[in-house]
Every structure is written in C-alpha cells, then in structure tokens.
Amino acid sequence: MCCLALLVTAMTFAIRAGILGQLGNQFNLSDTQLGWINAMAFLGFPLATLFGGAVYNFVGPKKLLQLAFVCHLLGLGLTISASGFWSLLISTLFIGFANGSVEASCNPLIADIYRDRKTTMLNRFHVWFPGGIVVGALCSKFMTDAGLGWQLQIAIMIIPTLAYGLMLLQQSLPRANGISHSTSENIKALFSPLFLFMVLCMTLTATTELGTQQWIDKILGASGASPMLILAMITGLMAIGRFFAGPLINRFNPVGVLLLSAVFACAGIYSMSVASGAMVYISAIVFALGVTYFWPTMLGFVAENIPQSGALGLSLMGGAGMFAVSLWNPVIGGWIDSARKQASQMDSTNIELLAGQAVLSQLVIFPAVLIIAFAALAIFRLKQKQAATA
C-alpha cells in the first residue's frame, strides 16, 4: 500500500514533465510560468511534510495516508478540468500536498519497523519512486505518440490512486518503537549542527535530482535523444540500484555512498551539457548512477545518526528538499527562457539545443558543491571515529 502510494507520487512527477510542452502550447504559457506551476508541486510537498511531521506522533501513519488519498484525487480532478495558469497552479499544489503526505506517513513508518536496517530499507521503499517515474514516463511517451491529450495522461493516474485508497480501507498500519515518539525531543534534535548541515545538503541533492529530471523535456528535447526514454532509463537504473543498495551501503557506509553519488552526478550533468545524439544516453547513465542513492540515503543517515529527530526530522528533511526545488523551478524556467534568447542571437538552427546545454552547465554547480560538502562530512566522521577509539 505504501509502495503503491509512492508509485502514484512518482507518476505525477514523470507525467507532468512529459506534458509541460502541451500545457505551454494549449494555454500559451512561458517557461517561467511553467516553472511556477512546477513549483507548486514542490511547495505543496514541504507544507505536507511539515504538517505531517508535526502530527505523526499523535495521529499515526494511516490518517496521513488517508489525507494523501483525498488530495491526490482532488488534485488530479482539478488538473483535468484546468482552464489556465491559475487553475493549474492550484491543482498542482494539491498534488504536491498529497505527495508530501505520502512521504510524511511512510518514511518514519519504514524507519520505525526496520530499526536495524533503516538506510537499506528506505532505499528499498524508494525503489517505487524511480519505478513510478519509469511507468509514468513510458505512459506519457506512448500516449503522446498516439495523439492522446494531456488530460488522459493525468486521468490514468486515478487508477493506482483508487487502488491504494481501497487497500487503505482494508489494512491497519503498525507502529513500533524504532524512532523517538517524543515531539519535544524531536524538536530539540532539529537544532543539532549535524541535522542542520544535512538539511542544507538535502536542498542540493533534491535539486540535483529532481530539478534536472522535471525539466528534462525542455533541456534535452533538441539533443537528438528522446527525453522521456532518457527519463525512463535514468529512473529504471535508479530503481535497480536502490533495490540492491544494501551491500553498497555496508561497503562504503552512507557518507561514502553520498560522496560517490555527488561525483557521478556532477560528471553526468556536465557530460550531458556537451553531448548530443547517442552520447546523451551514455551521459544519462552516469547521471543516474549519481542520483540513485541521494534521497533515501540522506533520510537513512538522519534516521540512523540523529534518531532523536524522529518522524519530524525525516519529514523536514524531505520537505526541505522539495521546498528547495520549488524555489529553483521558476529560476530554472527563467534560465531556459534567457538561454533561448541568447542562443537565438548566436545560432538560428540549434537554439533549443544550445539553450538546454547552457542550463545543464548551470545545474552542474549543485553536485559540485555537494562533492565538497560530503568530503568534509567524511573527514569529520573519520576524525570523530579516531577520537572515540583513541
């Protein structure tokens, strides 16, 4: 049930990425306006995680999943009936709130149940996010190729939504004692330097992963490769990598995995910024290897090393990541508009290609900063270990 809810969450990201061009054409929207619409999904998410993290100890995971179900149905229905910029803005906000409610419910539940394998099992649970993006990206591509409109692509998500809603009626969700259920203790842990550092890093890891993927149609549309196939390939590799994350985490520990991820993500985005044609697929594979472990390993690190933060800490981590992406989405849309204008002054035949490459060259800054941050964290943790054994 939790996995199916996360599948719906992922499909909303993939299908929205696939229909951005159709929305822009039908409603005469600029890329900056599309960026604001995208931002609502990423803004609704942290609002839900902030609320869900605060009330999780009191209401439990089931009521939060019920809230997600209602908001998913409402958001999808309002999107299908949208008539322009403002209605798309509001409907996307509801979908974002639903997505955040899923994370606020399920992440602490997983950490609660699998207290001895938190990072590994959070990676296993988050297989369903890239898995859902694969499903959504392929649905969007084939439906678009078949001439089916964006409304039908949104409507197809109602099917798995109803499925997890039905399961929710029939099942009860367990609560264990693997994380702190004291809200006052949770709040106190939020002000630790390590937690604040990880929150800052989460804003960069989320933007590296989702900021790039959400604009993939616009950025890579003129590269000679299929953006939706690239998205499906990236997220397919992510799903496989997360499912088999356990041995890698045991070998390199979470901090080592995060550092390697940042290196691969940086190399992948840079490579995509200079590639075209078939080489884009190779570059995308490198990028996929980089972003695969970011989200669940960040959550796992906090669950294992700052357990006092509890459900609130996990929810705020996810919320911080999505809030950062909500802020950067209009900026990225503005980068595309600006890069297209500059490219039109230099080259009248490859405007979209040059614009996409210019935006990727700016996005590479995020993982580059992460390399420094995670290297510093690795050194800090090593010195802590040496001091403890001295």
Side-chain angles (χ1 to χ4, degrees), residues 2 10 50 153 248 357:
C2 290
L50 181 63
Q153 296 184 39
L248 188 68
Q357 290 178 336

Side-chain angles (χ1 to χ4, degrees), residues 135-190:
V135 174
L138 293 178
C139 284
S140 179
K141 174 174 172 53
F142 292 130
M143 292 177 76
T144 299
D145 291 347
L148 300 177
W150 61 268
Q151 292 94 339
L152 285 175
Q153 296 184 39
I154 295 294
I156 200 172
M157 289 184 282
I158 295 177
I159 298 172
T161 300
L162 292 175
Y164 90 75
L166 181 62
M167 295 172 68
L168 193 58
L169 290 174
Q170 300 172 340
Q171 295 183 11
S172 60
L173 298 182
R175 293 184 65 183
N177 296 304
I179 61 174
S180 171
H181 290 295
S182 168
T183 302
S184 60
E185 187 179 0
N186 296 162
I187 294 174
K188 183 179 179 181
L190 301 183

Side-chain angles (χ1 to χ4, degrees), residues 230-268:
I230 289 175
L231 183 59
M233 181 185 68
I234 288 172
T235 50
L237 290 171
M238 289 173 65
I240 295 170
R242 287 179 179 179
F243 186 81
F244 296 103
L248 188 68
I249 290 168
N250 292 333
R251 173 67 178 83
F252 293 103
N253 72 62
V255 178
V257 170
L258 289 171
L259 178 56
L260 288 173
S261 296
V263 171
F264 276 98
C266 187

Side-chain angles (χ1 to χ4, degrees), residues 77-118:
L78 289 174
T79 302
I80 292 170
S81 60
S83 58
F85 174 74
W86 288 106
S87 53
L88 285 170
L89 209 68
I90 294 170
S91 63
T92 306
L93 180 63
F94 274 106
I95 292 175
F97 195 89
N99 295 343
S101 298
V102 171
E103 290 266 337
S105 169
C106 298
N107 284 329
L109 178 64
I110 300 298
D112 223 0
I113 296 172
Y114 300 101
R115 65 188 73 174
D116 297 325
R117 297 185 294 156
K118 294 178 182 179

Side-chain angles (χ1 to χ4, degrees), residues 38 74 77 115 119 137 156-157 190 192 207 217 239-240 257 260 311 354 377:
N38 269 345
L74 187 59
R115 65 188 73 174
T119 301
I156 200 172
M157 289 184 282
L190 301 183
S192 71
T207 305
D217 184 54
I240 295 170
V257 170
L260 288 173
L354 293 175
L377 179 60

